[in-house]
């Protein structure tokens, strides 16, 4: 396809039909109109090539401003080569060259117009003719008169007259042009618009081999204008997408890279000068403003009257450069070219003047700040203050942009009373860009901070940053120094510092109950959780702390209560609160808070068996922490731990190896902070899986010693004893393995959380044998089946199946292993699935080859019913559509829920995603518990945990299918 026809199929069809009619003697006239760059000239050229291929004679002319003073100039371009008119031009020019009384050229007489048309008619009788006139608005008056004369006499001539007109430009004689256009049939009036996105993409693919991202950026900058898009692709280097206007966080492109579009800029400037003498200045000022344009504001910037500015805006809109509905530039690339055409000094002065004008008019502060950033001076006090105010509002969501604003204010000098605030904001922005650098900057800044309240605030900030960098000793020293300097003069500050010290001691493992300023409930919660004393009691305390404004979302105490609730087994409530915390953190924009919420949510989802969701959250947290240089510390250790555990469950050995290669130094090289203990445990498990149980035992021993130093014996927190028993079993130390597993089982029974007890029983059964292993595994299945932890349930089923195989109960073993295989597939736990299927084949069974994915667990009918239910259809509507009974639909849904390990139809969207997903009410901070938890948006990774597999038909019948 010729380049001229991309996106022009309808227009080309009209021209083809007109050419066919002209060849059989039915002449016509057609007009192609469009704004600059829409391809009018190229379209005219294609029409001429098509006519020549069909045996027609093509006579072409191009009207221009430089030839307007020559009478019949366009007619001479068209007919000058005809032999019939060769001897008549001297007479024609002499007739039109005579002047009227007012000095204007005389009008051509009627016989001359008729004679020129007759010459054309005689030539057309030999061969059909196509006449093309480009830019007819610039044709001289006499030629316009002849074109109108000819257009009314073409019906019986084999002649097609095709002219183009650029929209928005004034004609040589507007009356004659309008008269000529009125004679054109409406179906022969062709309007060329910008290309559609698909047509622009096809054209770009034809012209170049740029990457998709580059092509998309070029199309966006050109707005689909064929000329602009073509010129960008042909002249801009492939490494760049397109020239771009400078923003708050990115300067303008170097001048040498903008010279590629110099010809485009020159052409636009020429057109602007033709539109109005003031159009160039108005357009340049409009490119400086960059927003919806206001005539009065432009008049102030350009120093012209408001009437002149209005007239220029009207001309720019008529020419298609401005959008009529909002008066913004239609093509971003033209805005950039006009902006770069302004000299640097003048550009900076215009930005300075624009900022002052916008402030007088009460414009939004963010719009004013954009001009102040590109101004050459901040000579008024309000300017620096405004930049700092804007930076304060965006420091969380856009730290890079906030830092740019602060540096601009500091560069030009901030008032003395704002210096401390500017430095404080700079450090806050640095926290979202480079956490180690922010710690160094805040350490220097805190020494000169006056006032006890401000000193306390800065000390607490610095200690929090140091804790996130795994430097608890320095964090404690900072708080202790601040406490000594305040010296009891400010009781409120002293209390805050003591609470901060308690947090630090908890982090480094030196916490002693009663030495800090912690809440009584929080102290009881910590003691009971660490000692593993009564999960139901801890659950009640945690619910009380989370349901009232005792612990604000995201605070240390809130996380303590949340983790205690997680270890007590209430994963549903934990998931809901974490979903709310993630939303709050993202709204605030603080990177460290978002990363911590995501990492902890990944840990909760790992408990629930949602491996993919846990991996996504942990990976996102790692990416955020990597961006600020903190991925090897604190929350990064937890995120990496979740990634390792999820990879182990998915049997991604290569991924586990890569994570171990990236893992930071472990024992002895860095302090044993809390989340690093989770990483130690995960790495120990991974080393055992990779065939190095000896090194794994060394890490587990270090983890155990650190937990003992901290006074943590609760097996629900870190099941290191189960891991050690497994590693010792791999080394052949059966007696020690069984002893350690027995200790964990006893501690788990004391804690009395079903999942912890079941996990300990599974570990004990895996190192045991005979009837004892069978009894323990069966107990684990019974305990964990009602709990919302399907992954633990699948492991319990596998252990029970293995125990039944060892006891010779092959039939029961196959039943349990088939169920474990089904649950493992639904969760994506490939490692467990491989082990189960291996054991199943050893027991004489055969895994169903059709059930190798989550969706394949369902029968075709179950899959069809589930997909309709995921779209929001009621059971009755599904029954009517499929022409089955309502009871049949309910039965299919119940079986689908059981196989997919979900609790209701609202979770079907995970497997059958729909285009529109319902929005649900979030969990509000500090809202009390309710019996009915609110529904959640399916796009959030907060789906309810997969329920147990039901053992009996009674449970199946009692499960709600609606």
């Amino acid at each position: 396809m010729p380049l001229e026809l991309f996106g022009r199929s309808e227009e080309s069809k009209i021209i083809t039909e007109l050419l066919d009619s002209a060849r059989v003697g039915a002449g016509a006239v057609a007009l192609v109109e469009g704004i600059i760059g829409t391809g009018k000239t190229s379209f005219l050229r294609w029409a001429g090539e098509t006519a020549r291929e069909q045996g027609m004679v093509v006579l072409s002319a191009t009207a221009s401003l430089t030839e307007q003073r020559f009478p019949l100039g366009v007619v001479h371009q068209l007919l000058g080569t005809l032999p019939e008119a060769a001897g008549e031009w001297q007479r024609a020019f002499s007739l039109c060259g005579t002047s009227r009384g007012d000095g204007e050229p005389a009008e051509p007489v009627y016989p001359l117009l008729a004679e020129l048309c007759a010459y054309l008619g005689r030539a057309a009788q030999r061969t059909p003719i196509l006449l093309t006139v480009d830019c007819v608005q610039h044709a001289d008056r006499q030629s316009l008169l002849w074109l109108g004369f000819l257009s009314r006499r073409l019906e019986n001539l084999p002649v097609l007259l095709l002219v183009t007109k650029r929209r928005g430009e004034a004609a040589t004689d507007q009356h004659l042009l309008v008269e000529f256009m009125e004679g054109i049939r409406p179906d022969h009036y062709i309007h060329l618009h910008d290309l559609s996105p698909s047509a622009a993409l096809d054209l770009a693919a034809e012209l170049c081999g740029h990457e998709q991202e580059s092509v998309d950026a070029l199309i966006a900058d050109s707005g689909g204008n064929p000329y602009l898009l073509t010129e960008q692709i042909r002249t801009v280097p492939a490494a760049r997408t397109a020239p771009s206007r400078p923003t708050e966080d990115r300067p303008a492109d170097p001048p040498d890279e903008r010279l590629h579009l110099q010809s485009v800029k020159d052409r636009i400037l020429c057109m602007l000068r033709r539109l109005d003498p003031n159009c160039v200045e108005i357009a340049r000022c409009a490119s400086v403003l960059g927003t919806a344009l206001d005539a009065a504001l432009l008049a102030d910037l350009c120093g012209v009257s408001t009437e002149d500015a209005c007239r220029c805006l009207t001309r720019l809109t008529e020419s298609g450069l401005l959008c009529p509905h909002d008066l913004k530039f239609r093509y971003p690339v033209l805005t950039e070219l006009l902006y770069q055409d302004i000299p640097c000094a003048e550009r900076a002065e215009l930005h300075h003047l624009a900022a002052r004008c916008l402030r007088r008019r009460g414009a939004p502060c963010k719009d004013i700040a954009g001009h102040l950033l590109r101004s050459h001076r901040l000579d008024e006090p309000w300017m620096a203050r405004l930049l700092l105010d804007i930076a304060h509002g965006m420091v969380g969501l856009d730290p890079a942009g906030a830092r740019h604003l602060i540096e601009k204010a500091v560069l030009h000098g901030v008032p003395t009373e704002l210096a401390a605030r500017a430095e404080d904001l700079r450090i806050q922005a640095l926290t979202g860009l480079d956490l180690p650098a922010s710690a160094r900057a805040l350490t220097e800044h805190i020494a000169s901070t006056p006032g006890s309240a401000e000193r306390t605030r800065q000390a607490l900030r610095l200690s929090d940053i140091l804790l996130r960098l795994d430097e608890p000793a320095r964090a404690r020293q900072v708080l202790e120094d601040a406490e000594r300097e305040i010296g009891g003069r400010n009781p409120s500050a002293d209390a805050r510092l003591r609470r901060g010290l308690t947090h630090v001691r908890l982090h480094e493992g030196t916490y002693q109950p009663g030495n800090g300023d912690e809440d009584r409930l929080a102290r009881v919660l910590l003691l009971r959780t660490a000692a593993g004393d009564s999960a139901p009691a801890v659950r009640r305390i945690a619910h009380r702390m989370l349901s009232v404004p005792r612990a604000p979302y995201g605070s240390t105490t809130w996380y303590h209560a949340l983790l205690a609730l997680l270890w007590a087994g209430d994963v549903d409530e934990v998931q809901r609160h974490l979903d709310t915390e993630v939303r709050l953190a993202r709204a605030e924009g603080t990177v460290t808070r978002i990363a911590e919420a995501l990492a902890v949510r990944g840990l909760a989802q790992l408990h629930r068996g949602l491996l993919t969701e846990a991996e996504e959250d942990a990976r996102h947290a790692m990416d955020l922490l990597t961006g600020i240089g903190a991925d090897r510390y604190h929350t990064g250790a937890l995120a990496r731990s979740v990634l390792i555990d999820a990879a182990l469950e998915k049997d991604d050995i290569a991924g586990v190896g890569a994570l171990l290669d990236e893992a930071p130094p472990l024992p002895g090289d860095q302090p044993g902070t809390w989340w690093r203990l989770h990483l130690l445990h995960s790495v120990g498990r991974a080393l055992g899986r990779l065939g190095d149980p000896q090194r794994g035992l060394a890490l587990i021993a270090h983890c155990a010693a650190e937990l003992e130093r901290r006074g943590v014996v609760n097996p629900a927190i870190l099941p290191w004893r189960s891991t050690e028993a497994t590693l010792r079993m791999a080394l052949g130390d059966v007696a020690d393995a069984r002893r350690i597993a027995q200790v964990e089982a006893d501690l788990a029974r004391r804690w009395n959380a079903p999942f912890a007890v079941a996990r300990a029983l599974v570990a004990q059964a895996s190192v045991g044998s005979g009837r004892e292993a069978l009894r323990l595994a069966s107990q684990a299945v019974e305990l964990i089946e009602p709990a919302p932890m399907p992954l633990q349930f699948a492991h319990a089923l596998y252990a029970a199946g293995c125990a039944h195989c060892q006891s010779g109960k092959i039939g029961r073993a196959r039943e349990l292993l088939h169920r474990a295989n089904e649950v493992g597939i639904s969760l994506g736990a490939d490692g467990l699935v491989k082990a189960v299927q291996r054991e199943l084949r050893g027991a004489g069974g055969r895994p169903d080859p059709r059930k190798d994915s989550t969706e394949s667990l369902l029968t075709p009918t179950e899959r069809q019913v589930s997909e309709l239910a995921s779209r929001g259809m009621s059971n009755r509507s599904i029954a009517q559509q499929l022409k089955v009974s309502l009871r049949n639909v309910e039965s299919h849904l119940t079986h689908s829920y059981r196989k997919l390990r979900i609790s209701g139809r609202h979770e079907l969207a995970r497997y059958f995603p729909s285009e529109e997903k319902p929005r649900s009410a979030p969990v509000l901070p500090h809202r009390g518990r309710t019996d009915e938890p609110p529904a959640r948006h399916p796009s959030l990774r907060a789906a309810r945990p997969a329920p147990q597999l039901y053992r009996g038909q009674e449970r199946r019948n009692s499960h709600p299918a609606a």
Side-chain angles (χ1 to χ4, degrees):
M1 179 189 295
L3 297 179
E4 297 85 356
L5 297 189
F6 277 91
R8 308 295 189 213
S9 57
E10 295 297 327
E11 294 84 350
S12 61
K13 182 179 179 181
I14 295 174
I15 297 302
T16 303
E17 292 174 353
L18 290 175
L19 290 174
D20 293 340
S21 299
R23 290 204 314 274
V24 297
V29 57
L31 174 67
V32 180
E33 185 180 30
I35 63 177
I36 185 172
T38 48
K40 301 179 295 298
T41 302
S42 299
F43 193 69
L44 213 62
R45 191 182 303 116
W46 166 82
E49 293 172 356
T50 303
R52 290 189 186 93
E53 292 174 357
Q54 296 176 356
M56 299 178 68
V57 173
V58 179
L59 303 177
S60 301
T62 300
S64 66
L65 288 172
T66 56
E67 295 187 9
Q68 282 184 354
R69 58 193 182 91
F70 300 118
L72 296 178
V74 171
V75 180
H76 183 261
Q77 289 185 59
L78 292 172
L79 308 182
T81 59
L82 291 179
E84 288 84 355
E88 299 296 327
W89 287 111
Q90 185 173 2
R91 184 173 66 88
F93 290 150
S94 62
L95 290 174
C96 293
T98 58
S99 299
R100 299 179 306 187
D102 55 1
E104 292 293 327
E107 297 287 354
V109 295
Y110 182 89
L112 177 60
L113 297 178
E115 190 172 357
L116 291 174
C117 288
Y119 295 153
L120 179 65
R122 285 194 293 271
Q125 294 302 325
R126 296 194 306 270
T127 306
I129 294 177
L130 168 66
L131 299 177
T132 66
V133 180
D134 197 11
C135 296
V136 69
Q137 74 275 7
H138 296 320
D140 59 275
R141 192 173 185 278
Q142 291 75 15
S143 295
L144 274 176
L145 187 64
W146 182 80
L147 289 173
F149 187 87
L150 174 66
S151 65
R152 294 183 287 273
R153 291 162 175 79
L154 286 180
E155 291 184 1
N156 299 319
L157 291 177
V159 176
L160 172 62
L161 174 59
L162 184 61
V163 300
T164 67
K165 175 182 176 294
R166 182 180 297 164
R167 203 179 79 193
E169 291 194 358
T172 307
D173 191 312
Q174 189 67 26
H175 298 291
L176 286 178
L177 182 61
V178 169
E179 183 181 350
F180 168 71
M181 293 169 60
E182 285 179 347
I184 301 174
R185 287 174 46 179
D187 57 334
H188 296 171
Y189 201 125
I190 301 173
H191 296 272
L192 293 185
H193 303 285
D194 293 329
L195 300 179
S196 65
S198 59
L201 188 61
D202 292 341
L203 176 60
E206 182 73 18
L207 288 173
C208 72
H210 287 40
E211 296 182 356
Q212 180 67 34
E213 293 79 5
S214 301
V215 170
D216 290 342
L218 291 173
I219 293 174
D221 269 359
S222 65
N225 187 280
Y227 169 68
L228 297 178
L229 178 60
T230 303
E231 288 300 309
Q232 282 184 288
I233 292 175
R234 288 176 176 171
T235 59
V236 176
R240 294 184 62 248
T241 56
S244 55
R245 194 167 181 268
T247 59
E248 297 177 6
D249 57 349
R250 183 167 55 84
D253 296 324
D256 56 337
E257 294 201 3
R258 296 191 299 268
L259 295 178
H260 298 287
L261 296 173
Q262 183 68 35
S263 60
V264 177
K265 183 180 72 173
D266 292 342
R267 183 176 176 184
I268 294 299
L269 291 175
C270 289
M271 189 190 77
L272 292 176
R273 292 187 180 95
R274 289 198 302 268
L275 292 178
D276 191 275
N278 295 319
C279 258
V280 173
E281 289 303 317
I282 292 292
R284 286 174 173 173
C285 291
S287 70
V288 169
L289 289 175
T291 57
L293 303 178
D294 178 77
L297 180 59
L298 285 172
D300 290 343
L301 288 179
C302 299
V304 299
S305 65
T306 306
E307 291 77 9
D308 290 340
C310 289
R311 185 179 65 253
C312 291
L313 288 177
T314 302
R315 297 283 173 82
L316 291 172
T317 303
E318 291 174 349
S319 66
L321 296 183
L322 297 181
C323 297
H325 57 280
D326 58 4
L327 293 183
K328 289 183 179 180
F329 275 99
R330 188 187 299 270
Y331 309 115
V333 64
L334 293 187
T335 309
E336 167 67 12
L337 291 175
L338 291 170
Y339 183 81
Q340 299 300 339
D341 187 59
I342 308 172
C344 292
E346 183 181 346
R347 190 189 312 156
E349 184 62 31
L350 283 174
H351 279 298
H352 185 267
L353 182 59
R356 296 175 61 184
C357 293
L358 288 173
R359 184 170 182 266
R360 287 198 302 268
R361 295 168 180 271
C365 293
K366 193 169 183 179
D367 294 343
I368 301 173
H371 293 289
L372 291 178
L373 276 175
R374 291 181 284 273
S375 175
H376 64 299
R377 67 183 190 278
L378 303 178
D379 54 355
E380 298 183 33
W382 65 266
M383 295 181 173
R385 185 176 292 106
L386 184 140
L387 289 180
L388 295 181
D389 290 341
I390 296 296
H392 177 76
M394 61 190 298
V395 69
L397 297 173
D398 184 11
R403 183 182 182 184
H404 192 193
L405 290 168
I406 297 163
E407 289 177 348
K408 176 73 174 182
V410 172
L411 178 65
H412 291 272
V414 296
T416 306
E417 65 273 12
L418 297 178
R421 184 188 179 201
E423 180 62 16
D424 184 57
L425 287 173
R426 187 185 73 84
I427 295 173
Q428 288 186 45
L430 199 58
T431 304
L433 299 171
D434 188 344
L435 200 62
S438 70
R440 294 191 295 270
L442 188 54
T443 302
E444 296 176 1
H445 176 61
I446 199 172
S448 59
T449 301
S452 59
E454 183 64 18
R455 180 77 168 83
T456 300
R457 187 178 71 86
Q458 299 290 7
L460 290 171
R461 277 182 56 201
L462 179 56
S463 68
D464 182 69
I465 294 174
L466 292 173
L467 285 181
R468 296 184 183 280
L469 296 173
D470 285 346
E471 298 186 35
R474 283 187 59 195
R476 186 181 67 254
Q477 187 64 44
V478 166
L479 295 178
E480 290 173 349
D481 290 345
E483 195 174 26
R484 281 195 300 271
E485 289 182 16
I486 294 174
R489 295 189 302 273
N490 190 331
S492 175
D494 285 340
R496 293 173 62 195
L497 290 173
R498 286 196 299 272
R499 285 194 294 271
L501 282 169
T502 300
H503 180 204
V504 173
R505 293 187 181 107
L506 280 168
H507 193 76
E508 63 180 356
T510 60
Y511 169 72
Q512 295 295 328
N515 290 345
D517 197 29
E518 70 272 23
D519 182 78
R520 184 183 63 84
L521 273 182
R523 181 167 64 251
V524 173
L525 180 79
L526 292 171
L527 289 175
R528 281 182 174 269
T529 304
D533 185 12
S534 181
V538 167
R539 190 182 300 117
R540 287 193 298 270
I541 297 173
H543 278 306
R544 183 176 177 184
M545 294 180 66
L546 292 171
S547 61
V548 297
R550 184 185 297 273
Y553 267 72
S555 65
T556 304
T557 307
W558 183 84
Y559 269 113
H560 289 163
L562 194 76
L563 291 171
L565 198 61
L566 176 66
W567 295 324
D570 198 348
V571 291
D572 278 352
E573 189 75 8
V574 169
Q575 186 76 52
R576 294 197 308 117
H577 282 288
L578 280 172
D579 290 340
T580 301
E581 168 60 12
V582 169
R583 287 193 290 271
L584 293 175
R586 283 174 171 160
E588 181 184 281
T590 305
V591 175
T592 52
R593 183 179 177 184
I594 298 172
E596 188 168 18
L598 288 172
V600 176
R601 188 169 73 172
L603 179 65
Q605 288 169 338
L606 197 61
H607 274 68
R608 302 178 62 194
L610 303 178
L611 301 178
T612 301
E613 290 83 351
E615 200 171 34
E616 288 176 358
D617 274 348
R619 186 69 65 186
H620 189 192
M622 285 294 295
D623 292 342
L624 291 174
L625 294 170
T626 301
I628 62 173
D631 59 306
R632 293 180 174 270
Y633 314 103
H634 192 55
T635 309
L638 174 61
R640 189 172 276 109
S641 171
V642 172
L643 288 173
I644 291 174
D645 288 340
L648 286 175
E649 295 292 348
K650 289 186 170 185
D651 198 36
D652 185 7
I653 303 302
V656 172
L659 289 167
L660 293 184
D661 292 338
E662 298 172 1
L666 292 171
D669 295 324
Q670 294 195 6
T673 54
W674 182 251
W675 291 132
R676 192 166 296 279
L677 295 179
H678 283 71
L679 181 58
L680 280 175
H681 180 259
S682 299
V683 173
R685 286 186 61 210
L687 289 174
R689 182 71 174 274
L690 295 174
D692 194 356
Q694 196 66 49
R695 285 182 59 202
L697 276 176
L699 295 181
I700 296 300
H702 184 86
C703 182
E706 181 64 25
L707 287 171
E708 184 179 358
R709 183 181 71 84
R710 293 170 176 264
V712 177
V713 297
N714 189 346
I717 297 176
L718 270 182
W720 63 268
R721 296 176 185 85
S722 297
T723 305
E724 182 178 355
T726 304
L727 295 175
R728 289 192 179 278
M729 197 69 181
L731 293 173
D733 192 354
V734 178
D736 282 348
R738 291 178 177 175
R739 177 183 56 80
I740 294 170
Q742 180 64 50
V743 172
E744 173 147 333
D746 294 340
L747 292 172
R749 289 189 182 95
R750 179 188 172 196
W751 176 242
N752 196 23
F755 86 94
V757 177
R759 184 168 59 188
L761 291 175
V762 168
Q764 195 175 4
S766 66
V767 299
S769 61
R771 292 183 178 179
E772 183 65 16
L774 180 59
R775 180 182 65 81
L776 294 171
S778 299
Q779 287 180 7
V781 171
E782 291 177 2
L783 276 172
I784 197 65
E785 185 171 3
M789 294 185 177
L791 186 59
Q792 291 293 333
F793 178 54
H795 281 285
L797 287 171
Y798 170 61
C802 293
H804 278 82
C805 281
Q806 293 174 6
S807 300
K809 300 178 180 180
I810 302 301
R812 178 60 176 164
R814 290 177 184 171
E815 179 185 348
L816 292 170
L817 291 173
H818 273 298
R819 293 178 68 192
N821 182 57
E822 187 177 283
V823 179
I825 290 174
S826 71
L827 298 173
D830 297 336
L832 176 63
V833 170
K834 288 182 179 179
V836 169
Q837 293 183 355
R838 185 168 54 248
E839 190 70 24
L840 186 59
R841 292 188 183 95
R846 185 173 66 87
D848 190 340
R850 296 168 298 175
K851 296 182 178 181
D852 58 353
S853 66
T854 302
E855 291 78 4
S856 64
L857 295 173
L858 307 180
T859 65
T861 306
E862 289 170 353
R863 189 159 50 247
Q864 185 180 22
V865 171
S866 299
E867 186 171 2
L868 293 175
S870 70
R871 298 175 183 172
M873 293 182 64
S874 66
N875 290 359
R876 190 171 300 279
S877 299
I878 296 173
Q880 292 175 354
Q881 179 169 331
L882 300 182
K883 295 181 173 55
V884 296
S885 67
L886 181 62
R887 189 179 185 84
N888 199 318
V889 172
E890 293 174 352
S891 176
H892 285 311
L893 284 177
T894 299
H895 293 163
S896 299
Y897 299 161
R898 176 180 60 81
K899 292 179 179 180
L900 296 177
R901 302 293 297 167
I902 59 178
S903 60
R905 66 199 309 134
H906 62 280
E907 294 187 62
L908 286 171
R910 289 163 47 197
Y911 305 99
F912 307 98
S914 57
E915 295 181 0
E916 295 184 1
K917 301 180 179 179
R919 185 180 299 275
S920 57
V923 181
L924 296 179
H926 312 307
R927 173 174 289 182
R929 294 185 64 205
T930 57
D931 294 331
E932 288 290 332
R936 289 173 298 281
H937 196 292
S939 65
L940 299 173
R941 295 184 294 275
R944 290 180 57 86
Q948 69 281 1
L949 288 181
Y950 298 104
R951 293 177 294 168
Q953 186 63 37
E954 297 80 13
R955 286 183 180 270
R956 292 193 185 98
N957 293 338
S958 65
H959 193 289

